[in-house]
């Protein structure tokens, strides 16, 4: 089984995160010690028999395991029935992503009349027959984490499928060239994708017993580390080749620097962002310049619609830009909201964005976009030269 550590977001075949040093989760969260989320909910420790000593194991293991299996089968059946649309749509529409459910909160109405999104969602599921959530409320957070992980893996799979080549090195190089340093986070997920789709390379040998056995790794951690070193070499070569190409083909009249961005007015900045996002692979739609309800442009990729608020500022960007993005996301029914600036954000703007799941692109990240944009210009220049 493959897991994602919610402390560092890395994926792993291990039952504990090999690199994360996050302290144990609070008891109310009901999560595994290092926040590990399995892609398959049947691999949560709650559904695995925990040894109670030799004598008690001999007397009670079969009975308790049978009870666990009955609970697991019931939960998995109901989860499969309700995953679409309930779980999947909830993770795309909720404002809160962390596992913070309080076991002491009972289902139903209360005298204070204040309910979290999780409480209301749990009631929706209970009324749909998911009665296990009444006695095991932390299960909801675990299933939501798994749903989120599954959703991310679906997008990852669509993207990675475009990079499959005849050899492992070619596949890794194609993937790393587009994904950048994300290979450090998702290398285990990369190999899980190859295994799941029966894409075989002689360098990779899987432990097939791990498919149905908790605690066994599909690939040993030592092998992952070996492949990681190989990926670092590939990434280093890509960076060197890019710099070589830039030095050979640099044309200051075609390249865009951050200083040119700073000199743009608001409309020029919005128009330039259209070019930026189109160049790096997004479908882009501009809004009307009046009555845009806080939206400057819309971008789409991997089926997700994102509304963008553009702010070309000389000072720090505050709460109002984030509030405009939140309003635009709700008004247009987008999946995500983003604010892009050539400057930086105030502390309060960051806090508001974090609570509302609005992505903030500041000067540093915009520079990364500019680097990608300029690299595409180089590639186009080279293509034109060969033709």
């Amino acid at each position: 089984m493959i897991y994602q550590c919610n402390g560092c977001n890395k994926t792993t075949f291990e039952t504990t995160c090999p690199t994360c040093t996050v302290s144990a989760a609070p008891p109310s969260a009901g999560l595994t010690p290092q926040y590990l989320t399995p892609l398959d909910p049947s691999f949560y420790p709650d559904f695995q028999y925990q040894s109670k000593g030799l004598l008690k194991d001999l007397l009670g293991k079969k009975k308790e395991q049978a009870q666990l299996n009955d609970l697991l089968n019931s939960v998995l059946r109901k989860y499969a029935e309700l995953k679409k649309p309930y779980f999947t749509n909830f993770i795309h529409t909720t404002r809160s992503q962390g596992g913070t459910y309080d076991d002491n909160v009972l289902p139903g109405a209360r005298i204070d009349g204040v309910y979290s999104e999780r409480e209301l969602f749990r009631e929706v599921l209970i009324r749909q027959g998911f009665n296990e959530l009444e006695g095991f409320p932390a299960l909801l957070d675990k299933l939501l984490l798994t749903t989120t992980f599954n959703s991310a893996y679906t997008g990852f799979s669509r993207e990675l499928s475009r990079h499959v080549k005849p050899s492992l090195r070619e596949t890794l190089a194609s993937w790393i060239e587009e994904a950048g340093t994300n290979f450090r986070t998702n290398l285990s997920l990369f190999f899980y994708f190859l295994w799941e789709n029966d894409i075989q390379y002689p360098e990779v040998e899987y432990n097939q017993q791990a498919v149905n056995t908790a605690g066994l790794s599909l690939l040993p951690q030592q092998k992952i580390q070996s492949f990681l070193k190989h990926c670092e070499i590939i990434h280093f070569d890509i960076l060197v080749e890019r710099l070589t190409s830039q030095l050979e083909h640099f044309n200051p009249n075609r390249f865009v620097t951050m200083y040119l961005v700073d000199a743009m007015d608001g409309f020029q900045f919005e128009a330039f962002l259209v070019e930026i996002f189109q160049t790096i692979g997004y479908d882009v739609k501009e809004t009307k310049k009046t009555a845009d309800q806080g939206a400057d442009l819309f971008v789409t990729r991997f089926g997700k619609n994102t509304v963008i608020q553009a702010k070309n500022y000389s000072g720090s960007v505050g709460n109002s830009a984030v509030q405009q993005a939140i309003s635009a996301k709700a008004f247009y029914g987008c999946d995500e909201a983003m604010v892009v600036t050539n400057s930086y954000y105030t502390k309060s703007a960051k806090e508001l964005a974090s609570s509302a799941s609005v992505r903030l692109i500041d000067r540093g990240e915009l520079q990364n976009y500019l680097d990608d944009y300029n690299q595409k210009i180089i590639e186009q220049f080279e293509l034109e030269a060969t033709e």
Side-chain angles (χ1 to χ4, degrees):
M1 180 41 48
I2 186 83
Y3 301 85
Q4 183 178 52
C5 177
N6 291 317
C8 64
N9 290 323
K10 289 185 178 179
T11 55
T12 177
F13 293 119
E14 307 298 314
T15 53
T16 57
C17 179
T19 57
C20 185
T21 57
V22 174
S23 60
S28 62
L31 302 175
T32 52
Q34 288 184 319
Y35 293 73
L36 291 187
T37 299
L39 195 66
D40 180 344
S42 67
F43 279 79
Y44 274 115
D46 309 77
F47 299 121
Q48 312 297 326
Y49 180 77
Q50 307 296 317
S51 176
K52 296 175 176 59
L54 181 61
L55 182 60
K56 290 185 178 180
D57 283 354
L58 288 173
L59 296 175
K61 181 176 180 179
K62 287 186 177 179
K63 180 180 179 181
E64 185 170 336
Q65 187 64 64
Q67 293 172 337
L68 283 171
N69 288 339
D70 289 342
L71 174 64
L72 172 62
N73 290 333
S74 177
V75 167
L76 293 182
R77 177 180 58 80
K78 293 175 181 177
Y79 176 62
E81 293 172 353
L82 299 172
K83 185 175 179 181
K84 294 180 179 179
Y86 293 99
F87 279 91
T88 302
N89 286 348
F90 184 74
I91 66 167
H92 288 301
T93 58
T94 183
R95 293 188 297 271
S96 174
Q97 296 297 327
T100 57
Y101 201 87
D102 185 354
D103 287 352
N104 297 319
V105 176
L106 296 175
R110 295 194 304 275
I111 195 68
D112 62 9
V114 179
Y115 312 103
S116 69
E117 289 179 313
R118 296 296 176 94
E119 289 178 76
L120 297 174
F121 183 54
R122 181 172 70 154
E123 185 63 27
V124 169
L125 297 176
I126 290 173
R127 294 187 185 189
Q128 295 294 324
F130 212 139
N131 301 322
E132 286 82 358
L133 297 177
E134 292 188 88
F136 191 12
L139 176 62
L140 175 58
D141 282 304
K142 296 183 178 183
L143 294 178
L144 282 170
L145 287 169
T146 287
T147 307
T148 303
F149 189 16
N150 271 270
S151 178
Y153 176 61
T154 299
F156 177 85
S157 299
R158 284 198 300 266
E159 184 174 348
L160 186 56
S161 62
R162 298 184 291 106
H163 298 287
V164 175
K165 307 294 181 184
S167 72
L168 177 61
R169 193 189 190 289
E170 288 176 293
T171 301
L172 284 169
S174 178
W175 173 51
I176 292 170
E177 187 164 18
E178 181 173 301
T181 56
N182 283 339
F183 73 85
R184 295 169 186 156
T185 299
N186 291 323
L187 186 58
S188 293
L189 205 60
F190 170 90
F191 285 110
Y192 184 84
F193 170 85
L194 297 184
W195 169 80
E196 185 183 51
N197 291 277
D198 198 27
I199 300 170
Q200 299 182 18
Y201 297 113
E203 303 95 325
V204 189
E205 295 183 6
Y206 299 102
N207 180 1
Q208 297 300 337
Q209 293 182 334
V211 177
N212 299 311
T213 307
L216 291 183
S217 299
L218 199 59
L219 277 176
Q221 184 60 24
Q222 305 95 288
K223 195 68 175 176
I224 294 293
Q225 289 299 318
S226 176
F227 282 125
L228 183 60
K229 292 178 182 177
H230 186 61
C231 289
E232 291 290 358
I233 294 172
I234 292 174
H235 184 237
F236 180 76
D237 288 343
I238 289 171
L239 294 178
V240 171
E241 289 171 7
R242 283 183 178 177
L243 179 58
T244 301
S245 182
Q246 288 176 356
L247 294 174
E248 291 176 353
H249 303 289
F250 183 78
N251 182 345
N253 294 323
R254 296 184 66 182
F255 277 64
V256 177
T257 67
M258 190 61 74
Y259 300 107
L260 290 176
V261 173
D262 292 338
M264 295 177 182
D265 62 26
F267 293 125
Q268 290 172 328
F269 185 55
E270 290 175 26
F272 180 63
L273 288 183
V274 171
E275 288 187 52
I276 286 282
F277 282 98
Q278 285 176 337
T279 301
I280 60 179
Y282 285 84
D283 293 325
V284 183
K285 179 182 177 183
E286 293 182 81
T287 64
K288 297 178 180 178
K289 300 308 177 186
T290 58
D292 59 13
Q293 301 297 329
D296 289 324
L297 57 142
F298 302 97
V299 298
T300 303
R301 194 179 189 187
F302 304 135
K304 284 190 175 182
N305 296 316
T306 302
V307 60
I308 295 179
Q309 176 68 213
K311 294 296 180 185
N312 191 356
Y313 277 16
S314 57
S316 297
V317 179
N319 280 11
S320 63
V322 179
Q323 290 167 344
Q324 288 174 330
I326 296 170
S327 299
K329 177 185 174 184
F331 184 83
Y332 291 105
C334 292
D335 301 304
E336 297 177 344
M338 182 189 299
V339 183
V340 182
T341 183
N342 62 320
S343 185
Y344 297 97
Y345 297 94
T346 62
K347 180 180 178 181
S348 61
K350 292 178 182 178
E351 292 172 348
L352 177 60
S354 177
S355 67
S357 299
V358 174
R359 186 179 175 192
L360 300 181
I361 304 297
D362 65 8
R363 189 178 184 87
E365 287 191 78
L366 181 58
Q367 181 63 60
N368 293 334
Y369 282 129
L370 285 180
D371 292 342
D372 288 340
Y373 175 81
N374 288 330
Q375 178 60 32
K376 294 293 183 181
I377 290 177
I378 291 174
E379 292 171 1
Q380 183 62 35
F381 181 89
E382 293 173 334
L383 181 62
E384 292 171 357
T386 56
E387 291 176 348

